[in-house]
Amino acid sequence: MGNSLRQGLRRYFRPEQLALLQAARVGVAGAGGLGSNAALMLARCGVEHLLLADDDVVEPSNLNRQHYWPRHLGRPKVEALADLLRELNPDMRLDTRQLRLTPDNLPEILPACPIWLEALDDPEAKTMLVERALLSGRRVASASGMGGYGGPAMQKRRLGPLTLVGDFSTDVLTAPPLAPRVTQAAALLADAVLEFILGDPL
């Protein structure tokens, strides 16, 4: 039957673009609302090599905004997400790490990917990943501010090897993390990664 996604992507991308997307290695730090949605968006665009890092399992409170289904409840998020990605594209090359990123394990994990998508909840972990990735020459798409509903528009700010995404004012710790805004932020994160891979849009 072949790879249906690859066949369909030929309608939208030139062969050289597809080659870049298939060869790119992207680390996704966090497989929750931002990470699960952004990872699937990247896969739908032809990115086939992802490292997924998260220590959490799927819970009922995740289903309102994270790309999981009731059948995934109780499973590690990285495993459930890997199954979804392979269902979409059986040629995905996935490295799943069920762990919390720490100063001790980051030096071993960071070199695996030249591009990182930061989708962590903890502010200290976000800062640690972004700073260390940038210092080691990686490019990073990072999110901040997307709580509640309505509110300020989502934005994307490019600062050299770092792209920041969010409304830069709300906080999911003080406002409910709901699907519309979280998914908007995930889409902008995926878009930032595509710019890193393919270059700025024409």
Side-chain angles (χ1 to χ4, degrees):
M1 178 174 149
N3 187 315
S4 300
L5 179 65
R6 280 184 174 178
Q7 292 170 13
L9 286 170
R10 292 188 193 120
R11 178 177 177 182
Y12 306 104
F13 291 105
R14 299 188 304 274
E16 60 270 23
Q17 290 176 312
L18 283 174
L20 287 171
L21 291 164
Q22 290 168 3
R25 297 187 324 277
V26 179
V28 179
L34 291 171
S36 64
N37 283 293
L40 278 149
M41 290 177 197
L42 289 173
R44 290 182 191 282
C45 291
V47 176
E48 295 188 350
H49 192 163
L50 297 176
L51 184 155
L52 309 173
D54 195 301
D55 68 333
D56 206 359
V57 299
V58 182
E59 300 177 357
S61 62
N62 302 146
L63 299 180
N64 78 317
R65 71 199 179 282
Q66 301 183 19
H67 206 99
Y68 300 113
W69 304 100
R71 70 176 185 268
H72 298 126
L73 291 173
R75 294 191 61 199
K77 288 182 180 178
V78 292
E79 291 181 10
L81 182 54
D83 286 351
L84 289 167
L85 290 163
R86 288 190 184 103
E87 184 178 352
L88 175 65
N89 181 350
D91 293 309
M92 293 291 298
R93 291 163 289 162
L94 301 171
D95 181 354
T96 57
R97 312 280 183 106
Q98 187 185 3
L99 51 73
R100 179 180 297 273
L101 294 172
T102 68
D104 293 331
N105 61 31
L106 209 52
E108 181 245 327
I109 294 171
L110 267 182
C113 301
I115 300 171
W116 279 86
L117 189 152
E118 179 280 307
L120 301 168
D121 292 331
D122 180 65
E124 290 183 12
K126 292 168 89 67
T127 300
M128 174 194 68
L129 175 70
V130 171
E131 288 180 351
R132 293 188 179 218
L134 292 174
L135 287 172
S136 65
R138 270 76 193 152
R139 290 170 289 173
V140 183
S142 176
S144 178
M146 67 218 56
Y149 55 90
M154 294 290 167
Q155 304 171 51
K156 184 172 62 170
R157 297 178 185 166
R158 178 83 174 264
L159 305 168
L162 171 65
T163 298
L164 296 174
V165 165
D167 64 27
F168 308 110
S169 61
T170 60
D171 188 341
V172 294
L173 298 178
T174 59
L178 300 174
R181 289 179 63 76
V182 172
T183 306
Q184 287 175 32
L188 288 174
L189 283 171
D191 191 63
V193 170
L194 292 179
E195 288 181 359
F196 285 142
I197 297 169
L198 297 174
D200 292 329
L202 298 175

